[in-house]
Amino acid sequence: MDTSASPRTVTGRVDVHPRGFGFLTVQKPGAPEVLSAFITPPDLNPLFAGDIVSATVTASGEGRWTASGLSLVERSRTVVYGEVVARRGTFFLRIDKEVSNTEWPLDPGTTPVQANDAVVARIADGKVMLLYKLEPGADRSLERVIARHGLHRDFPQEVVAEALRAREVPHALGTRRDLRAIPTVTVDAPSTRDIDDAISVLPAGPDGAVRLLVSIADVGESVKEGSALDLEARARATSVYLAGRVLPMLPEELSSHWLSLVPDQERHCLTVELRIDPDGRVTSADVYESLIRSWARLNYDEVGEFLDDGTVSPAMESVREAMPWFRLAAARLAVSRAARGGMVMSRDEARFTFDTATGAVSGLAGEKDTSAHGMIERFMVAANEAIAMWLMTRGVPTVFRVHEQPDPQRVADVNAFALHSGFAAGFGAQLTPLALAAFDRQISGAKAEAALRSVLRRSLGPSRYTVKPGPHFGLAAPLYLHFTSPIRRYADLAVHRLIKAYLQGRRDFVHEDPEVELLSQHINLRARSANRAEVDRHHELEARFMATRIGQQFPARIVRVKPFGLVAQLDGMWVEGMVPADGLAGGPYRPDARELSMVGSKRTFTVGMPVKVKVVSTDEQLGRVEFSLVE
């Protein structure tokens, strides 16, 4: 950025720092350079995080920018969480520090409030008016995250009423293909209520090919485009999984009942039928509307036991003869996918457990994938790829899922962190899917695998939705989209509608339809908000969980370097915390240009380095755990 530039007027987004100051972030579409200008606390007082403002930015001789003369252009935030402050008979709201740096006068309306009450309030015409007060004992952390990220908490009455009316339409056969006589199963976690995918397999014929049928709940049949139900689902764009609470995209009256592929019930589906030859290649795909009946609801553990040692559970008896063919189909797809490379989308993660009586966090346990998770992932990826190609070859614009190849600098970052972690990546200047697969195989099962994967994913960058077709680098897929979860993702529902439109005779599609791109951008924004909310909720519960472990020591690994310190992740627990740079012996320290190392005069700390840390303090509201190094 040219620091000699004269003051100029810009429009950007406000970010609030918990210490009371803020930043104005400006980025022009398509431009890699981002301007970040400091906002002083007094100038930030009338603003909220996410506000779009115009301002004058001025550069200092040190290359730092300052924003002044801020004027509100657009405020998308409508609700805030806060705690009541009473002062001389007047009520104020101490708002979430991530959202506002000051207290705002609170209009409680007719609701009686007192100091320290937790409330959610509505912003209107520059005023903060109470919406509802949390009950005593309610999880304040949860409500704070929901309001902070603008998530939809409850469904409007007219949406619930429409969901109930949708259940009055029977699951009739009509012109659909009848798959009820084919052994069909669902495989999910026991706690899953919104079951949207089922699988069937037809044994190999004389040519050795098997046919895999992936049947997905036909959500578009019940959720009509433009209806109140659809508009609410579109606004949400995704279900949000906050530890201890799920905010579904669709009301439970539909998502957990009428649309869910529960056993022994007839259900409308969209089915993609894949022909898989003996070499694992998908040589053809047929797509059609169907009527299915799930023969059995299986869970990952019992299917994993069958795949690993042939154990047949009682729930599996009705589909016993089909199970070896599922194993064969999964093995063939695994061989084909391994030949092209890419990264295994491991779901190893930490999950909080809660006391059923009090709702308090009772534990934090790591969950690892089973062989059944791998089988279902291969089936769903194959289905998503096949649908993407099916729509592309027919000229139907759709919501593709694209993941760009990382640039050379990101590849260098991965090389560096791998080396510091005790692994040789040797990627060279350009990362290929096969080279990525080889590294993925190296770290599989390593003690610090969770930390290594978190760094690797950040280095590879995010995927995104767009109408413009392109490859998915992480999966080594030439084309990819989301088709298999329309109950919880609006992108999948949009894909379903385009498939159904084509099957029903529509042909007047627009190449790279701008409306589809607008929808894609909206879904990207909502998906990012959902992801940030899930991360914030996890961090707040981490802080709550670690508050009882202050003073304890743990082995950890450095996963990020920040200007103000090191982020370390505890081995096997997925808990992250900050080691402040000013607390490191032998300072002062500064991060290198790529923030891969924290460099001191006598010592350097690098991403991937194993360390031992002690828990020093926690802050649940900010979702922060502070560590110190144990030398």
Side-chain angles (χ1 to χ4, degrees), residues 276-598:
I276 307 171
D277 73 8
D279 293 332
R281 294 173 300 192
V282 176
T283 57
S284 66
D286 191 13
V287 185
Y288 47 84
E289 295 176 316
S290 63
L291 183 69
I292 74 156
R293 179 176 63 86
S294 172
W295 288 32
R297 175 175 180 170
L298 308 179
N299 63 56
Y300 287 114
D301 288 340
E302 63 187 327
V303 174
E305 289 174 1
F306 172 81
L307 295 174
D308 296 341
D309 59 27
T311 302
V312 177
S313 68
M316 214 176 282
E317 285 292 345
S318 63
V319 292
R320 175 193 283 264
E321 294 182 2
M323 295 308 297
W325 295 105
F326 283 127
R327 181 162 51 195
L328 172 64
R332 287 184 177 180
L333 290 173
V335 168
S336 177
R337 183 166 164 187
R340 72 188 192 191
M343 182 179 176
V344 174
M345 296 292 119
S346 173
R347 281 173 290 272
D348 293 3
E349 58 184 339
R351 289 190 181 275
F352 291 98
T353 55
F354 297 85
D355 185 286
T356 54
T358 65
V361 177
S362 58
L364 177 63
E367 289 191 356
K368 294 189 71 66
D369 278 359
T370 67
S371 52
H373 287 92
M375 181 186 81
I376 295 301
E377 185 213 348
R378 286 190 283 274
F379 290 170
M380 298 304 120
V381 167
N384 287 335
E385 287 186 47
I387 291 294
M389 190 61 69
W390 190 88
L391 288 168
M392 178 70 173
T393 56
R394 286 159 178 77
V396 181
T398 193
V399 182
F400 292 103
R401 186 72 168 167
V402 171
H403 183 214
E404 278 88 4
Q405 183 177 20
D407 60 49
Q409 188 59 65
R410 284 182 176 269
V411 175
D413 292 349
V414 177
N415 268 320
F417 101 75
L419 188 62
H420 296 315
S421 303
F423 294 87
F427 290 143
Q430 189 175 51
L431 181 59
T432 67
L434 282 170
L436 177 61
F439 182 71
D440 186 76
R441 183 167 297 187
Q442 277 197 74
I443 66 176
S444 180
K447 184 177 181 181
E449 180 181 359
L452 293 168
R453 287 195 182 279
S454 68
V455 176
L456 180 59
R457 288 196 181 98
R458 277 195 298 275
S459 298
L460 292 176
S463 304
R464 59 186 174 85
Y465 294 108
T466 176
V467 74
K468 300 180 184 297
H472 192 293
F473 178 80
L475 293 171
L479 277 179
Y480 194 70
L481 52 65
H482 282 157
F483 159 77
T484 54
S485 296
I487 291 178
R488 62 184 181 89
R489 289 189 305 232
Y490 198 85
D492 304 53
L493 176 54
V495 169
H496 276 226
R497 285 181 172 145
L498 289 162
I499 293 170
K500 287 167 69 70
Y502 185 89
L503 292 175
Q504 293 165 9
R506 181 184 167 188
R507 295 295 183 270
D508 60 338
F509 297 102
V510 177
H511 177 65
E512 295 186 1
D513 192 335
E515 291 298 321
V516 177
E517 181 63 16
L518 285 174
L519 174 61
S520 300
Q521 297 308 316
H522 165 71
I523 296 173
N524 285 333
L525 289 173
R526 296 312 306 158
R528 283 196 289 271
S529 292
N531 181 67
R532 286 194 294 265
E534 290 169 357
V535 170
D536 281 2
R537 171 65 169 166
H538 190 86
H539 286 168
E540 289 186 0
L541 291 181
E542 281 180 345
R544 186 186 302 179
F545 180 71
M546 298 305 291
T548 60
R549 289 157 177 79
I550 291 175
Q552 294 184 20
Q553 298 180 9
F554 299 90
R557 190 168 296 268
I558 298 170
V559 293
R560 289 196 296 284
V561 170
K562 297 288 189 181
F564 39 83
L566 309 171
V567 180
Q569 185 181 87
L570 304 187
D571 288 351
M573 291 181 67
W574 290 272
V575 172
E576 290 187 354
M578 175 63 66
V579 181
D582 56 14
L584 296 173
Y589 286 87
R590 58 174 180 79
D592 65 7
R594 294 292 297 173
E595 295 190 351
L596 290 172
S597 298
M598 185 69 77

